Amino acid sequence: MSESALPKAPPRELIWGFTGAQSVAFALMLTTLVVAPFVAYPVFLMQVMCFAIFAMGANLLMGYTGLLSLGQAAYYGMGAYVGGYAVQTLHLTPEAGIALGTLTGAAIGAVFGWLAIRRQTIYFAMITLALAQFVNFFAVQDTGFTGGENGMQNIPRGRVAGMFSLHSDLHLYVFALVVFLIAFLFVHRVVHSPFGQVVKAIRENENRAISLGYKPAQYKWIVFTIAAGLAGLAGALNALVTHIVTLTDVGNATSGIVVLMVLVGGIGTIYGPLIGAAIIIAMQYYLASFSDWVTVIQGVIFIACVLLFRRGIIGELAAKLKLAL
Amino acid sequence: MTSSILEARGLSKGFRGFMAVQGVDFDIEQDSIHALIGPNGAGKTTCFNLLTKFLQPTAGTMRFEGQDITALAPADIARRGMVRSFQISAVFGHMTALENVRIALARARGGNFDFWRGEKILNQYNDQAQALLVDVGLDDHADTQAALLSYGRKRALEIATTLALDPRLLLLDEPTAGMTEADVERIVALIRKIRKGRTILMVEHNLSVVSGLSDRITVLARGRVLAAGDYATVSRDPAVIEAYLGSDHSGVDHV
């Protein structure tokens, strides 16, 4: 009687809110990411990590808050432009560049989010899309900042703290891995914070949360800003990895692809965005010879995902193993 | 004369020309149980949503503890100590019963905007949450996902969650709707237990529950107040008998 009354959280947590299964998965992920650059092309892996960061932010919105944004590329793209500009023109260090990219994404997200959260469901999605369109039009203008159609090219990778050169792919890989791990643990923390509990309550039953004195708009706004900040971080990191920022980075297709990554990987799971990013980026790399057909194949995967495994790869796996991943 | 905790004057709500509630006045006395009854479509739930500001009144004013609350947001109404439950049981399904109560207790921390802290900080509310679960008879279900609880238990959990905010005025929207006889008895006993030091306003269809619990009754019909008073007065009122009770008013479950 008294035993069953003891508060024991069902999936017993070990450290930092990780359950046993999640800790094992974390060790597995870490090992894979450490070994991977010796087996696969490092630039490909770094792009996977960039998009994983991007998708983790989108997943905070879609999976944990229940908000579908169709304009995440605006924050990703602007983070990339500002990050690239910072290291190329202002000659700032790479860590300062990605910090500025993050802040840019978060700042634009704070303004756009403030407008978008006033509406729900599809109307919310349409507003995010419309606002992202503004950013897109801004980027198309060749103002000398974005470079218009030419984009930003030959962005240097610089030296961390002005000392450690990131010129070689392996050095940059270590840097990107550290950034990715920080972002990953940050997102995990947000989900398992007192704030995250309220967000979960709002997603489950918004009216009930209001009747307990919570104001959902404030929470949605913060999540939106965090997701935009992560998008900005991902964009700036990707600018260092690929040396370029183009209109594609700020375009609607990029907004769509991040949604696809979240869905394929597993919406509302902590490891889903990484798996989703890995699959979609791998398709772009290894199916590149099919040129335009990649989009068609992605479309088919999207449809298959919606019809056959709605919880995504990690979501289905977690359901099968009866674990939280 | 006892003072009223909530006063509504001329409360009205129209939906595209249809007046769901028209010029409703009522006073809820401190520490009483006040029931709002009436046939389907009488405007009870609309009234309830107006009082908690889930709907904005077209006209009229409301004062809670002497202060005008007509223009407040629903979350602010809750923060002032006027907390509602819902007709369709409102629990956070993917959270455990304990977490459901804890999220209400955590309101005491303020906004809970700290996304950089671990959720262990909420464990400080575990004992209090557990005590509330014991109060409503859910002590064995603290770790059960709320969605998996039976209907009656969900209602009990909802009451525990509402009580966690220690409201001075509790608004219960059909607390016994759709319940088995045994569950109804449990909830009635629970309401009797929690009424000490609180005021309760409830919308209820079950007349035996209303007659047994309430100190005062307001009868609504077609959006207007038809009668008000204690059960004996109201049940003898010819207008009420005609509009609602019919010739037989022996506690028929009005479903």
Side-chain angles (χ1 to χ4, degrees), chain B residues 193-242:
Chain B
K193 190 165 130 190
I194 63 176
R195 69 169 299 180
K196 287 186 193 70
R198 297 179 210 282
T199 311
I200 295 171
L201 171 65
M202 61 179 184
V203 167
E204 185 54 63
H205 272 314
N206 188 326
L207 290 181
S208 64
V209 171
V210 170
S211 64
L213 274 178
S214 32
D215 304 309
R216 255 183 96 77
I217 296 166
T218 298
V219 186
L220 287 180
R222 294 194 197 89
R224 294 175 187 277
V225 176
L226 203 60
D230 58 18
Y231 187 77
T233 316
V234 165
S235 60
R236 276 198 299 269
D237 192 307
V240 175
I241 293 170
E242 191 184 329

Side-chain angles (χ1 to χ4, degrees), chain B residues 15 29 91 99 119 156 164 231 239:
Chain B
F15 296 103
E29 284 167 14
V91 294
E99 284 173 335
E119 63 192 344
Y231 187 77

Side-chain angles (χ1 to χ4, degrees), chain A residues 142-322:
Chain A
D142 188 357
T143 53
F145 171 65
T146 63
E149 297 281 350
N150 295 324
M152 215 177 254
Q153 298 185 15
N154 302 319
I155 297 166
R157 289 175 176 177
R159 294 167 176 273
V160 175
M163 297 191 301
F164 309 104
S165 169
L166 297 180
H167 188 70
S168 93
D169 282 347
L170 273 182
H171 289 172
L172 186 64
Y173 187 86
V174 174
F175 179 76
L177 179 58
V178 170
V179 171
F180 169 76
L181 289 176
I182 291 171
F184 181 88
L185 292 174
F186 171 76
V187 169
H188 182 75
R189 187 64 158 185
V190 171
V191 171
H192 294 278
S193 66
F195 172 80
Q197 279 278 303
V198 179
V199 168
K200 191 175 178 186
I202 291 169
R203 187 198 59 194
E204 299 271 300
N205 194 327
E206 186 159 338
N207 276 338
R208 184 53 176 160
I210 294 172
S211 79
L212 296 178
Y214 290 106
K215 295 186 175 175
Q218 297 171 336
Y219 297 85
K220 291 178 182 174
W221 184 57
I222 293 174
V223 175
F224 197 93
T225 306
I226 291 174
L230 286 165
L233 169 66
L237 187 59
N238 195 52
L240 294 178
V241 171
T242 57
H243 301 287
I244 55 166
V245 184
T246 67
L247 287 176
T248 309
D249 293 325
V250 71
N252 290 334
T254 302
S255 293
I257 221 128
V258 76
V259 171
L260 184 58
M261 285 172 179
V262 173
L263 290 177
V264 169
I267 188 165
T269 64
I270 199 84
Y271 292 98
L274 176 65
I275 300 298
I279 290 171
I280 303 295
I281 301 289
M283 281 171 50
Q284 290 181 345
Y285 261 81
Y286 298 106
L287 301 180
S289 52
F290 294 95
S291 64
D292 286 350
W293 284 94
V294 174
T295 327
V296 176
I297 296 168
Q298 278 173 352
V300 171
I301 290 192
F302 177 72
I303 294 168
C305 200
V306 170
L307 291 179
L308 301 173
F309 53 112
R310 287 183 189 204
R311 286 179 282 215
I313 291 169
I314 295 291
E316 295 291 345
L317 189 69
K320 243 199 188 93
L321 302 174
K322 293 189 174 25

Side-chain angles (χ1 to χ4, degrees), chain B residues 111 118 128 176:
Chain B
Q128 224 179 324
T176 67

Side-chain angles (χ1 to χ4, degrees), chain A residues 1 4-10 13-17 186 189-198 200-216 218-219 222 226, chain B residues 54 74-76 78-79 83-84 86 90-96 98-99 102-104 106-107 109 111-122 126 130 139-140 143 158 161-162 165:
Chain A
M1 171 77 194
S4 65
L6 275 175
K8 48 170 177 12
E13 61 178 55
L14 296 175
I15 184 169
W16 256 50
F186 171 76
R189 187 64 158 185
V190 171
V191 171
H192 294 278
S193 66
F195 172 80
Q197 279 278 303
V198 179
K200 191 175 178 186
I202 291 169
R203 187 198 59 194
E204 299 271 300
N205 194 327
E206 186 159 338
N207 276 338
R208 184 53 176 160
I210 294 172
S211 79
L212 296 178
Y214 290 106
K215 295 186 175 175
Q218 297 171 336
Y219 297 85
I222 293 174
I226 291 174
Chain B
F54 275 76
D76 290 317
R79 290 178 191 189
V83 183
R84 69 171 293 178
F86 290 83
V91 294
F92 305 120
H94 287 86
M95 294 161 79
T96 65
L98 188 87
E99 284 173 335
R102 214 169 59 165
I103 204 80
R107 265 290 309 146
R109 296 180 71 231
N112 288 292
F113 293 123
D114 36 2
F115 55 77
W116 54 89
R117 283 214 183 89
E119 63 192 344
K120 287 210 176 84
I121 205 161
L122 296 178
N126 284 0
Q130 187 64 36
D139 33 338
D140 284 345
D143 297 328
E158 212 195 327
T161 309
T162 308
L165 293 175

